[in-house]
Amino acid sequence: MERSGHIVADVFTVFAGCWMCAEGTFVPHVFWRMQHSGINKVKELVLDNCRSNEGKIEGLTDEFEELEFLSTINVGLTTVAHLPKLNKLKKLELSDNRISGGLEVLAAKCPNLTHLNLSGNKIKDLSTIEPLKELSTLKSLDLFNCEVTNLNEYRDNVFKLLPQLTYLDGYDKDDKEAPDSDAEVYAEGLDDDEEDEDDVDEEEYDEDTAPGDEEEEEGEEDEEENEEEEEDDLSGEEEEDEDLNDREVDDEDDEEERGQKRKRDLDEEGEDDEDD
């Protein structure tokens, strides 16, 4: 099979393990092209805006035994009766089709379904969705833009009818919005990547200090040395001042002693003259 990047045989794009059909492709041709790629290994299949054959998806068979996600938005479906048995299917997108009933087959065909989107279909009353109570694993149901949403106490009645539901039209019983699991996983991945990058940067910073930081450290060391030298100079000047003061004091003492000695000598001479 010819491949060019993620493009497979002109009609499919494979991205992260998900097969996405080109808009307007005739569905039977899609599966014919997939035969050599291993249908039994496909886990995600997107057929949005493709052309079905009178409301049937020809070629979609139980050979897709590993399929977990199937999207058939706006393909012209009028019933789900022709879906194959997909035991591992968890998420089924059926929005913007013309389905008005026949949902009782889903319990047998997709027994492990957790998310079902029927938005934009021709569902008018609660009895149409009542068979979904047989899907014990169903946690999320979307009925946006269906006439049934206009009924009085629509949300309360749906939660009573389908007690296994956690979210209806994206909100739980307490009007708390359902988390976007895909977005959360993606955000966590980014956070992890950012944390890893930060760790690497910190390690590199520790191992290889930036030149500017080295210059700053050297400058700080030089300043410390200069301060120590200035302190030494000041200490030396103080010692010189003290020595000078000591010498001045000694000189004053010597002069005082000499003056007293001269006075004594003069007194003695005066006494000698009196004796004569």
Side-chain angles (χ1 to χ4, degrees), residues 189-201:
L190 287 179
D191 292 340
D192 293 340
D193 291 342
E194 290 176 357
E195 289 176 1
D196 293 340
E197 290 176 0
D198 292 341
D199 293 340
V200 171
D201 292 341

Side-chain angles (χ1 to χ4, degrees), residues 6-19:
H6 289 302
I7 305 300
V8 181
D10 300 327
V11 296
F12 258 106
T13 300
V14 180
F15 179 75
C18 177
W19 288 71

Side-chain angles (χ1 to χ4, degrees), residues 164-201:
Q164 78 274 34
L165 280 186
T166 302
Y167 299 104
L168 175 62
D169 300 332
Y171 291 84
D172 66 9
K173 295 178 181 179
D174 300 322
D175 290 330
K176 293 182 180 178
E177 190 172 3
D180 187 344
S181 57
D182 294 335
E184 287 180 352
V185 170
Y186 179 68
E188 288 174 3
L190 287 179
D191 292 340
D192 293 340
D193 291 342
E194 290 176 357
E195 289 176 1
D196 293 340
E197 290 176 0
D198 292 341
D199 293 340
V200 171
D201 292 341

Side-chain angles (χ1 to χ4, degrees), residues 246-258:
D246 291 340
R247 285 197 297 273
E248 290 176 352
V249 170
D250 292 339
D251 292 342
E252 290 176 358
D253 292 341
D254 292 341
E255 289 179 0
E256 186 177 350
E257 288 179 359
R258 286 195 293 272

Side-chain angles (χ1 to χ4, degrees), residues 89-154:
L89 193 68
K90 295 181 180 179
K91 296 185 179 182
L92 179 58
E93 289 279 348
L94 295 170
S95 59
D96 298 329
N97 285 290
R98 300 194 298 272
I99 299 169
S100 60
L103 301 180
E104 60 273 1
V105 301
L106 290 177
K109 293 178 178 293
C110 310
N112 294 303
L113 205 61
T114 60
H115 294 70
L116 177 60
N117 191 341
L118 290 167
S119 300
N121 280 280
K122 298 183 179 299
I123 298 172
K124 299 179 179 180
D125 50 55
L126 295 176
S127 62
T128 304
I129 63 172
E130 185 174 2
L132 298 180
K133 64 185 179 183
E134 300 299 327
L135 287 168
S136 60
T137 58
L138 189 64
K139 300 299 180 185
S140 177
L141 175 65
D142 288 307
L143 296 169
F144 283 118
N145 296 325
C146 292
E147 291 185 35
V148 68
T149 60
N150 296 324
L151 297 177
N152 292 331
E153 299 183 350
Y154 151 72

